[in-house]
Amino acid sequence: MPQTVHRQCTLCEAHCGIDVEVEGDRVLRITGDAQDPISRGYICPKAAALADLYADPDRLRRPVRRVGSQWEEIGWEEALDMAAEGLRAVQRRHGNDAVATYFGNPSAHTMAVLSGLPMRHVLNTRNHYSATSADQLPQHLTSAEMFGNLALFPIPDIDRTDYMLVLGANPSVSNGSLMTAPGARHRLRAIVARGGRVVVVDPRRTETAAHASEHVPIAPGGDPYLLLGMLHVLFAEGRTRLGHLEGLADGIATIEALAAEWPVARAAPIAGVDEATVQRLAREFADAERAVAYGRVGVCHQRTGSLTHWLINVLNAVTANLDVTGGAMFPNPAFDVGAVLKRARLLGFGDHGRHTQRVSGLPEMNGELPVAGLADEITTPGEGQVRGMLIFAGNPVLSTPGGARLEEALATLEWCVAVDMYVTETTRHANVILPPVSPLERSDIDVVMPVVSVRNHIRYSPAAVPKRKDGREDWQILTALTSRLGRGVGRRVEAAVASLPSAFTTPERIIDLGIALGPHGILRRGPRKGLTVAKIKRAKHGIDLGPLEPRLPGALDTADKRVQLAPPVLVAEAAKLAEHAREREDALSEGYDLTLIGRRQLRSNNSWMHNSARLMKGADRCTALLHPADAGARGLADGDRVRVVSRVGAIELPLEVSDEIRPGVVSVPHGFGHARPGVGWRLAAEKAGASVNDITDPSLVDAITGNAAFNAVPVRVEAT
Ligand SMILES: Nc1nc2c(c(=O)[nH]1)N[C@H]1C(S)=C(S)[C@@H](COP(=O)(O)OP(=O)(O)OC[C@H]3O[C@@H](n4cnc5c(=O)[nH]c(N)nc54)[C@H](O)[C@@H]3O)O[C@H]1N2
Ligand SMILES: Nc1nc2c(c(=O)[nH]1)N[C@H]1C(S)=C(S)[C@@H](COP(=O)(O)OP(=O)(O)OC[C@H]3O[C@@H](n4cnc5c(=O)[nH]c(N)nc54)[C@H](O)[C@@H]3O)O[C@H]1N2
Ligand code: SF4
Ligand SMILES: [Mo]
């Protein structure tokens, strides 16, 4: 008898509610869950592909170990013992820091991430890495500096705003990021439908821009200058107001002084936006009843990532749009993971700069180091050189800057363990791969996305199909590794493992505790109204905890419980803005006459899901997008094979000519490049494409955090 299981799709940050129709161990159909509190039935084409992932013959079902270039299936116990012993041996030979960890994007989409924390504790190395430093580190920094909590993100109140200024994000395709907003396309259209405006600032006329009120084709990297120009207008015309932050925020005079340095006539040309537009956008934003500025990877993956996110927060704050309905608001999650970790001072959460990366000198943040510097840590000899790795749910060969170099470095490791479902461009360098079951086979409670959602909610996802007999979930694999790593490596580590309270043995128990202690928990709300995991499980479609509400000053965690509008580290960095602009000019004159930016596509999910036939059908999507004028000037035509060359390498791919992209810019999606020998996803390898990260430059990083600056790469395009 077919049966329908209600749960979430955990592929991207939207975490849409899905109805999975199953019969025994077969998945019949996946549709949107109309009763989900925030996705209300919306799904994108990737949800149905969860069934392909489940059925994929190329997906690993059992642990494998590498023997030369072959893979040999082995049992779980043997695999776990071997994996842990290999890592311990590296630490015994070269010290604890010789083992590095890398946690990839999907770890944020499962409660198993909580089981990674004890593992970090036990490995006791400085070399922790994750996709965070290829993604949102600048946003952590600005939240930590301004609000005192690295995970207190201002999220657009998209469903109630009248004016949304979108900088460097394409939510119609990505469905929002650090803004869980399933069906973002419909939510944005609703703003326009209710008489509001959506303005999209992007070098490309994106799918989001197509339905916006206005598209502003900015020059790549131009955003901090645009924002400063707008702030200049606001201060010069006396249009700033702090609203309810009055008396609660420090530093407005410093912001005014900084904005004074950037008259529109100076800022606009660097931004590549005309002066009248800068002025008009500033006035419109200030005049709107409820407005919100929102930026994401287009502005975060920049040399100026931290500066830009700071200026976005400042623009919201000085127009009285921070922490108010229809502005940028702070969610109130049932389990505020980041805040709890920070309060508990666990694993370096909330810390910044306690030590630096050995080779690059970049600072640690939250106990992690920037992944852009990982290859150097592996290849540069000396005390603390990385010689072993544990890679969990990540594909850094395709997803981090200078991936080709990282790949060469991975091949030199003495020992590498991967927890992944496929033999990928990265995991093919592992000695052992430990494959978890696929998402539909595991139960989950989402505790990460509610921290960044446009509506407060919590949802339990039961497994949709029975887990295969010898299948293991990610958290079980991590826990089994942790307990093995804690054995026989000296008394300190053993004592540390033994001291982990039993409450930390399963992620569900940690979450139950976190929820009980949280704002909606039984300790705060009493046994009748308060939340428990048991209650959340009973609510088949999740629990709606209502729209976002103002949370300041209560949620602030700065030393003086005030908003810091002008943190010294950001003000100091702002003094280098003229220099950053010159850097861009210099690169253009060195023969790299175009700027490379990225793009996401609805049927892709970073570097994976390219093994699903239903997602991969149709024309080649891994193309270099160039303006007709730039193509013409190089004698190139649509469909030609071209070479895109940067200072660190070259890739070849088909050219797509379109006036949707700003002249002087070339756009290439990331996550392709599956032609590496021996990768296990066969369909992906057939439609391999090229990896843009073979040409992104690991030396280009956000100046404060070391976050990868994928969108700032000087390149040239030539015929092959
Ligand atoms: N040029 C360029 N590069 C980029 C970006 C860009 O915009 N441009 N974006 C960056 C961003 S924002 C991100 S988040 C990173 C992502 O970078 P990564 O996290 O390194 O890469 P993913 O492509 O997400 O790879 C996920 C891997 O995890 C495996 N996997 C999937 N689900 C699970 C699971 O449930 N458990 C386990 N154990 N494994 C699983 C998949 O098989 C795959 O190998 O890429 C970054 N790289
Ligand atoms: N379908 C799909 N959805 C996804 C993902 C996926 O791979 N596929 N990945 C998920 C992940 S890990 C993340 S982090 C999110 C990211 O979510 P988004 O940030 O919405 O992702 P992108 O589509 O990469 O949008 C970035 C935009 O910035 C623009 N841009 C580039 N440089 C600049 C610049 O200098 N200034 C401005 N103003 N714009 C610029 C690009 O043209 C692009 O349109 O998406 C998530 N959702
Ligand atoms: S937008 Fe698509 S991939 Fe993302 S959670 Fe929703 S259905 Fe899944
Ligand atoms: Mo991401």
Short mmCIF file of all heavy atoms in Angstrom, two decimals, residues 9 11-12 14-16 42-44 46-47 175, ligand 3:
data_model
loop_
_atom_site.label_atom_id
_atom_site.label_comp_id
_atom_site.label_asym_id
_atom_site.label_seq_id
_atom_site.Cartn_x
_atom_site.Cartn_y
_atom_site.Cartn_z
N CYS A 9 12.81 18.59 2.17
CA CYS A 9 13.90 18.41 1.23
C CYS A 9 15.08 19.15 1.86
O CYS A 9 14.96 20.31 2.23
CB CYS A 9 13.56 19.03 -0.12
SG CYS A 9 14.99 19.12 -1.24
N LEU A 11 18.14 19.62 0.48
CA LEU A 11 19.22 19.89 -0.48
C LEU A 11 19.75 21.31 -0.39
O LEU A 11 20.94 21.54 -0.52
CB LEU A 11 18.75 19.60 -1.91
CG LEU A 11 18.55 18.12 -2.25
CD1 LEU A 11 17.97 17.97 -3.64
CD2 LEU A 11 19.86 17.36 -2.13
N CYS A 12 18.87 22.28 -0.22
CA CYS A 12 19.37 23.65 -0.14
C CYS A 12 18.71 24.35 1.04
O CYS A 12 17.89 23.76 1.75
CB CYS A 12 19.17 24.41 -1.46
SG CYS A 12 17.56 25.19 -1.63
N ALA A 14 16.41 26.35 1.48
CA ALA A 14 14.97 26.58 1.54
C ALA A 14 14.27 25.52 2.40
O ALA A 14 13.24 25.80 3.02
CB ALA A 14 14.39 26.59 0.13
N HIS A 15 14.84 24.33 2.43
CA HIS A 15 14.27 23.23 3.23
C HIS A 15 12.75 23.11 3.06
O HIS A 15 11.99 23.12 4.04
CB HIS A 15 14.63 23.38 4.71
CG HIS A 15 15.94 22.75 5.04
ND1 HIS A 15 16.21 22.14 6.23
CD2 HIS A 15 17.08 22.63 4.30
CE1 HIS A 15 17.46 21.68 6.22
NE2 HIS A 15 18.00 21.96 5.07
N CYS A 16 12.32 23.02 1.81
CA CYS A 16 10.89 22.95 1.52
C CYS A 16 10.27 21.69 2.12
O CYS A 16 10.88 20.62 2.13
CB CYS A 16 10.68 22.89 0.01
SG CYS A 16 11.40 24.30 -0.84
N TYR A 42 5.45 24.87 -2.15
CA TYR A 42 6.47 25.13 -3.16
C TYR A 42 7.56 24.07 -3.14
O TYR A 42 8.02 23.68 -2.07
CB TYR A 42 7.12 26.52 -2.95
CG TYR A 42 8.31 26.72 -3.88
CD1 TYR A 42 8.11 27.18 -5.19
CD2 TYR A 42 9.60 26.38 -3.50
CE1 TYR A 42 9.18 27.31 -6.07
CE2 TYR A 42 10.68 26.51 -4.37
CZ TYR A 42 10.46 26.97 -5.65
OH TYR A 42 11.52 27.08 -6.52
N ILE A 43 7.99 23.61 -4.29
CA ILE A 43 9.26 22.88 -4.42
C ILE A 43 9.90 23.26 -5.75
O ILE A 43 9.21 23.76 -6.65
CB ILE A 43 9.11 21.33 -4.40
CG1 ILE A 43 8.01 20.88 -5.35
CG2 ILE A 43 8.92 20.80 -3.00
CD1 ILE A 43 8.04 19.37 -5.63
N CYS A 44 11.18 23.04 -5.87
CA CYS A 44 11.86 23.25 -7.15
C CYS A 44 12.13 21.88 -7.78
O CYS A 44 11.89 20.86 -7.14
CB CYS A 44 13.14 24.05 -6.93
SG CYS A 44 14.57 23.02 -6.52
N LYS A 46 14.61 20.13 -8.05
CA LYS A 46 15.59 19.24 -7.40
C LYS A 46 14.94 18.29 -6.38
O LYS A 46 15.49 17.24 -6.10
CB LYS A 46 16.68 20.08 -6.69
CG LYS A 46 17.59 20.81 -7.68
CD LYS A 46 18.77 21.47 -7.01
CE LYS A 46 18.43 22.65 -6.13
NZ LYS A 46 17.70 23.76 -6.78
N ALA A 47 13.79 18.67 -5.85
CA ALA A 47 13.16 17.82 -4.83
C ALA A 47 12.90 16.42 -5.39
O ALA A 47 13.19 15.42 -4.73
CB ALA A 47 11.87 18.46 -4.34
N ASN A 175 16.62 30.23 -4.10
CA ASN A 175 15.59 30.18 -3.05
C ASN A 175 16.08 30.71 -1.72
O ASN A 175 15.65 30.28 -0.65
CB ASN A 175 14.99 28.78 -2.93
CG ASN A 175 13.92 28.60 -4.00
OD1 ASN A 175 12.93 29.33 -4.00
ND2 ASN A 175 14.15 27.70 -4.93
S1 SF4 B 3 14.30 24.86 -3.23
FE1 SF4 B 3 14.40 22.86 -4.20
S2 SF4 B 3 16.32 21.94 -3.54
FE2 SF4 B 3 15.89 23.66 -2.17
S3 SF4 B 3 14.84 22.68 -0.46
FE3 SF4 B 3 13.25 23.41 -1.88
S4 SF4 B 3 12.81 21.66 -3.19
FE4 SF4 B 3 14.75 21.23 -2.14
#
